[in-house]
Amino acid sequence: MSSAEPTPPTPRFETLTVPKASDVLAAEVRERILSGEFGEGTALPPERQLVEQTGLSRATVREALRILEVERLVEIRPGRGGGAFVHRPGHESLAHTVRLVIRGQRIRLEALHETREAIEPACAALAARRRTERDLAELDAAHAELVGAGEDLPRFLRANIQWHNAVARAGDNELLIGFLGALSESIHASTDLARFLDLRIRQLTAHAHARITEAIRAGDAEAAHRRMSRHVCGFARAAAEVDGRELVDLPDSGD
């Protein structure tokens, strides 16, 4: 007598997650923006037409547009002539995201300086290879502003940011421009001006900027990298001597 056939196992299925309609619409528009199909400033169809074309509710369409607005992929303009307009991400979008990470994760001031020491010398080397006459003029203008700041500490630090951002722009790398912009702004915002009173630091900074600019102007990438490395490392040490904080609460940049 033959044994009975074994009972096959009952099929099982994993729990399925169905995406929200607003997420699906946002994903389609996002892809068409990032692929270049929708260029900068392109006006999306009015809300009423989007409802008709997609078959979705007005609330769903509005939610999708809001998602894209938060991601800075569209700009919502009110009033007559308003609507949703495409905004393709640039280095300013990267800078905004980096600032959010720095604030949200409460990044240590030491970590900000370490990151700057790791990447800004490379920016200086790129600047030496790629700088234009316009870039050199921006570097010279920022340096003149820094030297002319005198005892005006906020003016000095703003000019310092302008110079470092000008170096990044001269390197002509969109990722580094955005990243360095956020980093410079964060270091500036976290610097305790009441303690940053050392004239020696300001004098050394001005001298270092002049030397780095000289290397960039000469197209000497190796010297630009070396001098920038020495500068940012020295600046970090000098700043630590007058500001012993480890964790810094950055203010809201408003963007």
Side-chain angles (χ1 to χ4, degrees), residues 236-254:
R237 288 194 300 271
E241 291 176 2
V242 296
D243 190 344
R245 295 173 297 168
E246 292 185 359
L247 293 177
V248 179
D249 289 322
L250 299 180
D252 186 351
S253 63

Side-chain angles (χ1 to χ4, degrees), residues 117-129 212 215-216 220-232:
E117 292 166 17
I119 64 177
E120 194 158 12
C123 289
L126 286 175
R129 298 188 185 103
I212 296 165
I216 292 173
D220 190 337
E222 182 179 346
H225 187 286
R226 183 177 63 254
R227 293 173 187 178
M228 181 65 85
S229 180
R230 185 183 304 127
H231 169 50
V232 294

Side-chain angles (χ1 to χ4, degrees), residues 25 44-63 65:
L25 177 57
L44 296 182
E47 188 178 283
R48 176 179 53 80
Q49 290 185 21
L50 283 173
V51 169
E52 294 173 354
Q53 292 173 10
T54 62
L56 301 175
S57 69
R58 175 161 293 188
T60 298
V61 168
R62 286 181 176 174
E63 184 177 354
L65 293 176

Side-chain angles (χ1 to χ4, degrees), residues 167-219:
V167 171
R169 286 193 295 272
D172 196 28
N173 181 301
E174 288 291 322
L175 291 176
L176 290 175
I177 291 171
F179 199 91
L180 259 297
L183 196 60
S184 296
E185 291 285 351
S186 297
I187 290 175
H188 170 255
S190 62
T191 299
D192 189 343
L193 297 181
R195 300 184 184 183
F196 207 86
L197 300 175
D198 193 338
L199 176 62
R200 179 180 64 89
I201 295 176
R202 301 200 297 276
Q203 291 174 335
L204 289 174
T205 297
H207 177 71
H209 285 194
R211 293 278 288 156
I212 296 165
T213 300
E214 179 183 277
I216 292 173
R217 177 173 277 108

Side-chain angles (χ1 to χ4, degrees), residues 120 123-124 127-128 130-147 159-171 206 209-218 224 228:
E120 194 158 12
C123 289
R130 300 174 178 174
R131 88 288 183 275
T132 64
E133 290 302 316
R134 179 176 179 179
D135 294 325
L136 293 174
E138 288 188 6
L139 287 169
D140 290 340
H143 181 65
E145 175 69 10
L146 182 140
V147 172
N160 187 52
I161 289 177
Q162 291 168 5
W163 184 87
H164 283 276
N165 287 345
V167 171
R169 286 193 295 272
H209 285 194
R211 293 278 288 156
I212 296 165
T213 300
E214 179 183 277
I216 292 173
R217 177 173 277 108
M228 181 65 85

